[in-house]
Amino acid sequence: MSFLEVRNLSARVKGGGPLLRDVFLTVEVGEVRGLVGESGAGKSMIGKAILGILPKAVEITGGQIVLDGTDLLTLPPAVRRMKVGATCALIPQDPLTALNPSRRIGAQITDRLVDILGWTRQRAEERALALLGEVQITNPARVLRQYPHELSGGMRQRILIASAFAAEPKLIVADEPTTALDVTVQKQILKLIAALQARHGTALLFVTHDLGVVSKVCQNLSVLYAGKVVEDSAVADFFRAPKHPYSAALLAATPKYTDPFAGLQPVPEAVIAAVRAEVEHG
Amino acid sequence: MALLQTLLLRVITTAVTLLGVAVIVFFVIRVVPGNPIAMMLPPGATAEDIANLTARYGLDKSIPEQFFIWGGGVLRGDFGTSITLKQPVLALVLGRLPATLELSVLALGMAILIGGAAALTGTRLRETRVEGGIDIAQGMALSVPDFLWGLVLILVFGVLVPVFQISGRVTPSLELPFVTDFYLVESVLRLRFDLTLDLLSHMLLPALALAIPLAAIIGQLLKQSLKETMHLDYVTLARTQGYSEAKVIWSQALPNAILPTLTLVGVQFTFLIGGTVIIERLFSYEGLGNMAIDAVINRDLPLIQGIVILFAVIFTGVNLLVDLTYAALNPRLRHG
Ligand SMILES: Nc1ncnc2c1ncn2[C@@H]1O[C@H](COP(=O)(O)OP(=O)(O)O)[C@@H](O)[C@H]1O
Ligand SMILES: [Mg+2]
């Protein structure tokens, strides 16, 4: 059985239309799965549903989120929180807002290791020091004593990555972890995540709207359109022969790294109409 | 370096403020009608008696002349002599100050505790009926001024259910071993908790009257900033790490949300100290405010001046303290 199985998950805005429609998605132990789709497709909602941080306005209307054999949706909130806290982690989208401005970096990495996971303070601090080294921060001892506003966006994202790996989670959800960064920094951060994932063998659900990124770091991918998974493929197969017309159109609309402006095709209206009809009625 | 500059600037502005207050008070209380000398003498005193006494207090000189004589004394630490009480103003005022400080700080503590608890509870149970109830209670607390709360409290806890004292600072028959005028503090330090209890039972209602409106203001503002903070990414991240909602509010949201409230508390605390004037009168509490009202009624010019200057010093001191605390709590200011 997969480490994570999202089965037929449906969600909607309270009193509104559906956000997720029968979402089916698996992540094996150690697998890197891309979750792609255009902005507003519901990619972040899936990540939030797994981690238990859905906005109050959103309610789950059906399905299961099976993590390590247990359906999270059936657990009491406190138990679920502990289970997710111990086995999963989030690399957030915007490193500028994801660190608490009034607390030192060190405390933000170590506190939960001590508070939630019961580590000794010394062990947590040694771990933080080692991890900052792993994400290639020079002078980690100094950085641990600094406040977020003293550090650049790239540095902060490195810290958040280190923090995500700190407790050796089984699964990390990375929600567009490079979108908010400078283009030059994006590549470094991407490499770093890939390297740490490989070294620690952590399963990764990599949310992005960038197929180029997927081709670099992921083994498999799920394509989301309007809250529905329309394709689930191995990355190599997907780029050779996408199964779904919408995927093919999406691929044609993605710039190639070798020649960014060659033969770009916007997703045709007819394809959008077809996939919309399929998602909403199929 | 920058810190030293800021501090120096602060000292200068404080000095100018105090001078301004001194000038205004000095002139205003001499221009308004009412003659302190006339109030001291028995009816039927001769014009000569009046002239003699007027000269003794220097009130026959021109107002600017009087100001420079008084100002010169103040610079040497001599605030003059009270006309009605016949004692040095400085000693009188400093003797009463501790009573007022203890009352104000107790009231402030109660306001922070009540307001803070309301804000935290309201945030934890946001969008429920409990939050609605807290909002309504705060609205009520704010629509009534402190002295009316004083009257309500006297009626309820002094008359209907007389569980607390409504008059004075301490039961007069008690033997007091104190060497300072900080009775409450000293009773605790001397482990005389019987006296602490007696003092508190006198202070509770006036302190509560002062605290209620401030508690409501603190509660409203703190809850608002807490709720805004709860949507921020670092709070969400803490949730994914296994922290409970209560812990997230307390250790992630509160340290950031508290900053705007802190500034407000500083300003409001000076209003609260101003409120002690009437509240002390209402509860016959022997503090500075009560003395101020007597001084005004008796046109005791030197005493009024001394009290006003002291209030001004306290206000500027509180503001300075707030700014320093703010800087200490906010790392972005601490590191420039
Ligand atoms: N707090 C919220 N309340 C209601 N609807 C929301 C909220 N946040 C996002 N949505 C809606 O949910 C849909 C999916 O959003 P999201 O998962 O963030 O998309 P993305 O694929 O870009 O990550 C969007 O249409 C968005 O409008
Ligand atoms: Mg998103």
Side-chain angles (χ1 to χ4, degrees), chain A residues 39-40 42-45 48 93 175-176 207:
Chain A
S39 179
K43 305 182 295 292
S44 296
M45 284 299 160
K48 285 177 185 171
Q93 178 164 358
D175 190 352
E176 312 218 24
V207 175

Side-chain angles (χ1 to χ4, degrees), chain A residues 182-218:
Chain A
D182 288 347
V183 184
T184 46
V185 185
Q186 286 187 359
K187 277 192 181 172
Q188 300 168 11
I189 295 296
L190 213 55
K191 269 192 189 154
L192 199 63
I193 294 175
L196 261 79
Q197 184 278 329
R199 194 174 319 144
H200 294 260
T202 318
L204 190 60
L205 181 61
F206 198 101
V207 175
T208 177
H209 58 258
D210 186 345
L211 283 174
V213 169
V214 171
S215 69
K216 291 213 172 81
V217 295
C218 302

Side-chain angles (χ1 to χ4, degrees), chain A residues 212-281:
Chain A
V213 169
V214 171
S215 69
K216 291 213 172 81
V217 295
C218 302
Q219 293 141 16
N220 301 297
L221 93 170
S222 302
V223 181
L224 199 66
Y225 183 84
K228 184 157 184 74
V229 176
V230 294
E231 168 150 7
D232 178 347
S233 297
V235 166
D237 299 341
F238 176 86
F239 281 95
R240 202 178 325 114
K243 290 183 214 152
H244 196 276
Y246 174 74
S247 307
L250 204 60
L251 201 53
T254 303
K256 311 283 176 297
Y257 271 81
T258 45
D259 189 359
F261 299 105
L264 277 194
Q265 298 290 328
V267 178
E269 300 275 345
V271 174
I272 292 183
V275 69
R276 178 156 288 283
E278 175 192 327
V279 160
E280 279 170 7
H281 307 294

